[in-house]
């Protein structure tokens, strides 16, 4: 239903990633997975990328139960996007359009559901201390997810806009995202 009015043609549907890999049909533009992003998905995603090297691979999920570093790693080698299953249909369509144009999509609200890295699991801080993202980057990101501009973030954190811009660039680079 989500892709009904988009310029996509359903080529095939498989019940598992393993079946999609073993019953490969060659050239596929988009592989859409209706599955939570967890540890059990890491290796199958790598196999899917090998079977469909030119496809845009997207997970349609309500949660991400992986450490941030693993999510970033998946985006660098296997995954092109994660779509939030409770997003409005127009947001899903626009996200798919962006993904098909080469963008990587990962909603910040899914970032909240991802887990801290294993070595950080004993931290008692309200924001996980993650060497992957600095504390300031996490603060900027938490305000950014509310849709605030660089100027608003700068005011809220007592920083210059230029500093906020640098932090946002770093967050996007570390997450493998190409836009806010």
């Amino acid at each position: 239903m989500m892709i009904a009015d988009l310029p996509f043609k359903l080529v095939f549907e498989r019940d598992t990633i393993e079946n999609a890999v073993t019953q490969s049909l060659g050239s596929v533009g988009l592989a859409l997975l209706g599955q939570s992003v967890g540890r059990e998905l890491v290796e199958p995603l790598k196999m899917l990328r090998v079977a469909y090297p030119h496809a845009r691979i997207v997970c349609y999920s309500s949660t991400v139960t992986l450490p941030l570093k693993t999510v970033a790693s998946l985006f660098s080698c296997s995954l092109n996007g994660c779509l939030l299953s409770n997003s409005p249909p127009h947001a899903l369509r626009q996200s798919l359009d962006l993904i098909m144009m080469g963008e990587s999509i990962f909603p910040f609200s899914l970032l909240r559901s991802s887990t801290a890295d294993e070595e950080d699991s004993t931290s008692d801080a309200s924001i996980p201390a993650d060497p992957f993202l600095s504390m300031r980057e996490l603060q900027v990101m938490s305000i950014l997810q509310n849709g605030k501009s660089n100027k608003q973030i700068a005011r809220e954190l007592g920083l210059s806009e230029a500093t906020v811009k640098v932090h946002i660039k770093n967050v996007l680079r570390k997450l493998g995202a190409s836009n806010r």
Side-chain angles (χ1 to χ4, degrees), residues 19-169:
N19 285 343
V21 169
T22 59
Q23 300 169 14
S24 173
L25 289 178
S27 181
V28 171
L30 172 67
L32 185 61
L33 312 171
Q35 190 169 345
S36 291
V37 182
R39 288 201 187 286
E40 69 284 347
L41 193 59
V42 173
E43 288 306 314
L45 273 174
K46 290 177 183 176
M47 292 186 324
L48 192 62
R49 173 54 68 208
V50 170
Y52 302 100
H54 303 293
R56 306 299 290 169
I57 300 175
V58 179
C59 284
Y60 178 67
S61 178
S62 60
T63 59
V64 174
T65 57
L66 287 172
L68 293 174
K69 286 182 182 176
T70 307
V71 171
S73 173
L74 280 176
F75 267 85
S76 69
C77 66
S78 301
L79 203 54
N80 300 107
C82 281
L83 301 180
L84 200 55
S85 59
N86 62 356
S87 294
H90 70 277
L92 293 172
R93 286 186 204 104
Q94 288 177 344
S95 295
L96 271 178
D97 284 341
L98 287 170
I99 290 167
M100 293 309 291
M101 288 188 284
E103 296 291 331
S104 295
I105 301 292
F106 189 81
F108 279 112
S109 50
L110 275 180
L111 190 60
R112 278 188 262 155
S113 72
S114 64
T115 61
D117 291 322
E118 292 83 4
E119 63 270 13
D120 296 331
S121 62
T122 58
S123 174
D124 291 331
S126 61
I127 298 176
D130 185 351
F132 178 63
L133 294 174
S134 72
M135 187 59 75
R136 184 60 88 182
E137 289 167 345
L138 288 167
Q139 289 171 335
V140 168
M141 190 173 58
S142 70
I143 297 169
L144 180 66
Q145 73 185 4
N146 295 323
K148 293 190 177 180
S149 68
N150 290 0
K151 183 181 253 181
Q152 292 169 316
I153 295 169
R155 283 186 192 143
E156 196 166 321
L157 295 176
L159 302 170
S160 72
E161 279 186 73
T163 301
V164 169
K165 188 175 182 178
V166 168
H167 286 308
I168 290 173
K169 272 184 156 179

